[in-house]
Amino acid sequence: MRSAINLHDFRAMARRKLPQIAFDFIDGGADDELGMVRNREAFSDYQLLPRYLNDVSTRDQSTTLFGRKYSSPIGISPTGMAGLFRVGADGMLAAAAKKANVPFLLSSASNFRIEDAAKIAPDNVWFQMYATSDHRINMDLVRRAREAKVGVLVITVDVPVNSNRERNRRNGFTRPFRMTPSIMLDTLSRPGWLLQYLKSGGMPMMSNWQPYAREGANADQVADMYGTLTPAPMTSWETVTAIRREWEGPLVIKGVLHPDDAIQSAEHGLDGIIVSNHGARQLDCAPSPISMLPAIRAAVGDRMTLMLDSGVRRGSDVITAKCLGAQACFFGRPTLYAVAALGQDGADQVFAIMRREIDAVLTQIGCGNFGDLTERFLHRKT
């Protein structure tokens, strides 16, 4: 199977391609993984109410974020260690985002340097950073993003502690990582992946962190150093203020769920919020972002650009989020499944599928312009 019908198909493809330890790293959540179910089910609380007898012979699904017009209201969420699933995955995702003209949020935990991603897709790369326990490194990451001419800086704030991801623990995918006999047996069941892994030199380098490690440090040593710097539970609004002083461009906070935190974000000079629960990979009992979006919109009004991720899998999800106030939606797992299974072609297919779905739903509900979507197209189940 070389093409997918929907985003769910990529998951099945990746499962056949990847050893369990790698697949579960993408697929898993925290604790009982009930949050992942809730993220999907929450979209079904809303139904789209069509308005017929409107001329929808032409449609426009473009959206403008921070003065930049994108062709579709979708983008790639930050995903760490993508190079483990397919060598060069981050570069493929950047290229796919450029081709589709949508944002790509490069994770600071990726296997690709900020500078290299910005060269591939200079108008589409945003940079996502975790604040670390070292203020100098925080400021240097900001400097590098600025010098690479990254358009938008995103601070992820919902990782004050490493979560309990039980699939990873059972598989032995923990720091420090050790290749045990059971892991070796698992990888032997996927010889194509194993050959690629060995030919590339084993565990991929977390390239953005290499400059802060000792000279000559290997990939495992850099990853272990990263683990000493993050999570940083001392991160506070003072940290955000310090980053805001150093970053003159659009600054976005990712991981906000509480309306009061949204108000604080506006008061601290941030430009946007990605309403997110980290794909249910952090706090399993957190509410779904789509369920909190109306309250956050009510709290900040039009003062900030609102976006959303976690659980987005269909074009109809993006339409629903826009009706509730989000200008764009992001997703991470589907892009990793796709690039792991099919490489560049898979990454490109993700956006082609979502564009088709968004276009079809806009047509079906009688709204030719994505920007015209409001709550009048929604029906909430009682």
Side-chain angles (χ1 to χ4, degrees):
M1 188 174 179
R2 293 296 304 173
S3 62
I5 302 300
N6 58 44
L7 264 58
H8 301 294
D9 288 344
F10 292 117
R11 180 177 182 271
M13 293 178 180
R15 187 165 214 156
R16 292 192 294 269
K17 194 85 170 181
L18 295 171
Q20 182 176 341
I21 189 172
F23 176 80
D24 281 351
F25 182 86
I26 303 173
D27 198 60
D31 296 332
D32 295 312
E33 299 188 349
L34 299 177
M36 294 195 298
V37 176
R38 195 159 52 248
N39 282 351
R40 286 300 304 141
E41 290 183 345
F43 281 100
S44 67
D45 290 341
Y46 300 92
Q47 296 165 344
L48 292 171
L49 189 61
R51 304 295 302 273
Y52 295 122
L53 297 175
N54 292 324
D55 183 354
V56 285
S57 54
T58 60
R59 279 87 57 198
D60 180 5
Q61 62 178 265
S62 64
T63 193
T64 299
L65 302 171
F66 312 113
R68 168 91 164 80
K69 187 175 181 179
Y70 296 95
S71 297
S72 297
I74 51 178
I76 303 175
S77 293
T79 50
M81 295 300 290
L84 177 63
F85 316 117
R86 167 81 65 165
V87 175
D90 295 297
M92 295 174 190
L93 294 174
K98 179 181 180 180
K99 180 178 179 181
N101 187 28
V102 298
F104 169 42
L105 279 65
L106 178 74
S107 170
S108 58
S110 70
N111 304 116
F112 218 57
R113 298 190 317 139
I114 315 169
E115 297 82 358
D116 295 331
K119 288 177 183 176
I120 292 175
D123 296 323
N124 301 89
V125 168
W126 300 8
F127 182 61
Q128 174 267 340
M129 64 176 286
Y130 294 104
T132 75
S133 56
D134 189 324
H135 176 75
R136 293 170 301 174
I137 291 179
N138 294 342
M139 294 303 103
D140 194 59
L141 288 169
V142 174
R143 174 194 64 79
R144 289 172 58 194
R146 182 174 58 247
E147 292 182 357
K149 294 182 171 53
V150 167
V152 178
L153 184 64
V154 179
I155 312 169
T156 293
V157 298
D158 56 3
V159 189
V161 64
N162 286 322
S163 62
N164 180 35
R165 299 180 189 173
E166 294 181 358
R167 289 204 225 180
N168 290 354
R169 291 172 61 191
R170 288 193 177 95
N171 291 335
F173 201 158
T174 56
R175 301 302 316 169
F177 179 73
R178 298 291 180 265
M179 187 64 79
T180 64
S182 61
I183 293 174
M184 284 295 297
L185 187 61
D186 175 33
T187 59
L188 285 170
S189 69
R190 298 293 187 271
W193 179 89
L194 180 59
L195 180 62
Q196 173 188 254
Y197 177 83
L198 295 174
K199 285 177 64 176
S200 65
M203 188 64 69
M205 177 67 72
M206 298 179 72
S207 302
N208 282 312
W209 299 92
Q210 197 172 8
Y212 311 118
R214 65 173 179 80
E215 187 175 353
N218 62 30
D220 281 321
Q221 291 166 336
V222 171
D224 290 341
M225 179 216 60
Y226 171 77
T228 67
L229 293 168
T230 64
M234 71 289 297
T235 302
S236 68
W237 288 110
E238 291 182 4
T239 312
V240 173
T241 298
I243 294 171
R244 174 75 282 182
R245 280 197 300 264
E246 294 297 315
W247 179 259
E248 296 179 356
L251 184 62
V252 172
I253 193 166
K254 179 178 181 291
V256 165
L257 289 171
H258 200 293
D260 289 351
D261 287 343
I263 293 170
Q264 283 266 59
S265 299
E267 292 175 348
H268 280 79
L270 281 90
D271 302 289
I273 293 172
I274 299 177
V275 185
S276 169
N277 65 12
H278 214 99
R281 290 167 71 83
Q282 283 302 118
L283 181 63
D284 193 33
C285 52
S288 68
I290 196 69
S291 69
M292 295 307 304
L293 181 58
I296 290 176
R297 167 53 73 192
V300 299
D302 295 325
R303 288 188 289 169
M304 306 183 76
T305 297
L306 295 186
M307 298 155 285
L308 180 140
D309 88 350
S310 303
V312 176
R313 295 295 182 272
R314 286 285 186 179
S316 56
D317 300 337
V318 181
I319 302 292
T320 298
K322 176 61 172 71
C323 291
L324 294 172
Q327 291 297 113
C329 288
F330 297 87
F331 40 84
R333 286 185 179 97
T335 61
L336 288 185
Y337 296 141
V339 79
L342 301 176
Q344 186 68 64
D345 184 47
D348 293 339
Q349 284 186 41
V350 169
F351 294 114
I353 289 169
M354 286 297 279
R355 278 191 59 83
R356 286 197 300 268
E357 290 192 2
I358 292 169
D359 183 71
V361 175
L362 286 175
T363 309
Q364 183 65 52
I365 66 174
C367 181
N369 192 311
F370 179 79
D372 293 339
L373 290 167
T374 66
E375 285 187 90
R376 70 192 178 96
F377 289 98
L378 277 187
H379 171 70
R380 179 157 192 176
K381 292 193 300 185
T382 58

